[in-house]
Amino acid sequence: MPDGWRRLAALAALAGATLLAAGCSSSLAIDTTAAHGAIIAIGAENEYADVIQQVGGKYVQASAVMSNPNTDPHTFEASASTGRLVNAARLVVQNGLGYDTFMDTIEKAVPDSGRHVIVVQKLLGLPDSTPNPHLWYDPATMPKVADAIAAELAALQPEHAAYFTANAKSFTSSLQTWVNAIETFKQQYPGVPVATTEPVADYLLAALGATNKTPWAFQADVMNGTDPSAQDVAIERSLFTQRQVKAFVYNQQVTDSLTESFISLARANHIPVVGVYETMPEPGYRYQSWMLAEVRALRNAVTSGVSSEHL
């Protein structure tokens, strides 16, 4: 069987399997036809797709697999349209660390030696045992991702290499407002105590110099959909009832009765609540403005007791 037919057969099989897995309810609006020779690229998460587009500019058509703020990325199931998108892409950026394993499944089903794949985990040299997969909240991550994107795009279109490199540098420079806000917060509120539901923004909280008083076991259990122990739940409750924290940071995209009970407990004890996101809120945000908005929301919580449950 010719290679082209093998790829089509594999894609058809994947489409059937993923449609069944998703109950035929998952859909993704995509355009796999790039205009004027633009490079088709995808980010498994829309924050990566946004950086691809900023670096690639007019020579790239970037799309995201996950962008719905009401979707739990940890339980996301790929659809047939996801397979078609990956099949058409020349550049893929995905997180790794088990966060978007559906991408590995698709890429193996429709292999393509001409597809360039950036796995952020590997780019950063992180072992599989790294406990927190939310790498985009670390201020050191995206400059490296932008440089890697520029290099891969340059390999695909060498004649535009200087353009991609310049855009990557401009992107990194544009993060300085966010970096400055982090440093100011760290200096003004060193070690400020906070509580969380799961480690979505933990890298950012660490950069801010905040002290996360929620037990790691509790965070990991919530992230993995496991019931936390009674002991950890009691510790978390005491953070609010004894007013040990200045803010409660929770995953706005994934809530359940336990999370809602802690939100209510925080409100009852006049502790401001800050919602954070796993995928970039849309519309109206770029990666830079999203991260800056998260820092400002936490600052407002600590300084003025203002909740920001939604950006």
Side-chain angles (χ1 to χ4, degrees), residues 190-304:
V192 63
V194 300
T196 61
T197 51
E198 55 182 296
V200 173
D202 275 12
Y203 290 121
L204 178 57
L205 292 173
L208 290 165
T211 300
N212 188 347
K213 303 199 73 172
T214 298
W216 169 255
F218 180 97
Q219 296 182 69
D221 285 341
V222 172
M223 176 177 67
N224 296 321
T226 302
D227 291 335
S229 69
Q231 180 181 4
D232 286 337
V233 171
I235 292 173
E236 183 83 345
R237 285 184 58 85
S238 70
L239 298 179
F240 305 113
T241 58
Q242 298 177 19
R243 296 183 56 80
Q244 297 181 44
V245 295
K246 296 292 185 181
F248 177 42
V249 180
Y250 81 104
N251 184 355
Q252 198 275 337
Q253 286 183 240
V254 184
T255 59
D256 56 15
S257 58
L258 181 63
T259 300
E260 292 294 343
S261 72
F262 283 123
I263 292 173
S264 298
L265 192 60
R267 290 171 181 160
N269 287 277
H270 308 291
I271 295 170
V273 178
V274 177
V276 294
Y277 296 72
E278 297 197 57
T279 53
M280 185 175 65
E282 294 181 342
Y285 284 98
R286 307 305 298 267
Y287 174 76
Q288 301 93 312
S289 58
W290 171 34
M291 290 292 105
L292 182 59
E294 298 284 19
V295 173
R296 287 175 172 170
L298 186 59
R299 182 186 180 90
N300 288 339
V302 171
T303 60
S304 305

Side-chain angles (χ1 to χ4, degrees), residues 147-215:
D147 287 344
I149 290 170
E152 296 295 347
L153 292 177
L156 290 166
Q157 290 190 354
E159 65 274 23
H160 302 135
Y163 175 87
F164 299 138
T165 300
N167 281 356
K169 289 181 178 179
S170 294
F171 169 79
T172 297
S173 295
S174 71
L175 295 175
Q176 195 59 48
T177 301
W178 175 43
V179 172
N180 290 343
I182 290 172
E183 190 58 34
T184 298
F185 186 101
K186 186 175 183 178
Q187 291 176 1
Q188 294 182 347
Y189 312 103
V192 63
V194 300
T196 61
T197 51
E198 55 182 296
V200 173
D202 275 12
Y203 290 121
L204 178 57
L205 292 173
L208 290 165
T211 300
N212 188 347
K213 303 199 73 172
T214 298

Side-chain angles (χ1 to χ4, degrees), residues 39-123:
I39 299 169
I40 296 178
I42 62 171
E45 296 77 29
N46 65 346
E47 50 265 34
Y48 292 128
D50 178 63
V51 179
I52 295 171
Q53 193 62 64
Q54 291 190 55
V55 174
K58 61 186 177 181
Y59 298 115
V60 167
Q61 177 182 301
S63 302
V65 175
M66 288 194 291
S67 60
N68 186 345
N70 297 315
T71 297
D72 180 355
H74 296 278
T75 59
F76 179 85
E77 292 180 330
S79 67
S81 57
T82 306
R84 291 195 298 271
L85 182 58
V86 173
N87 188 50
R90 298 299 86 201
L91 174 63
V92 175
V93 179
Q94 59 198 70
N95 190 74
L97 290 175
Y99 190 81
D100 41 24
T101 53
F102 61 88
M103 295 296 293
D104 299 326
T105 301
I106 297 171
E107 288 156 10
K108 289 177 182 177
V110 284
D112 185 344
S113 60
R115 181 191 302 131
H116 294 229
V117 179
I118 298 171
V119 180
V120 178
Q121 171 196 351
K122 295 179 180 177
L123 178 67

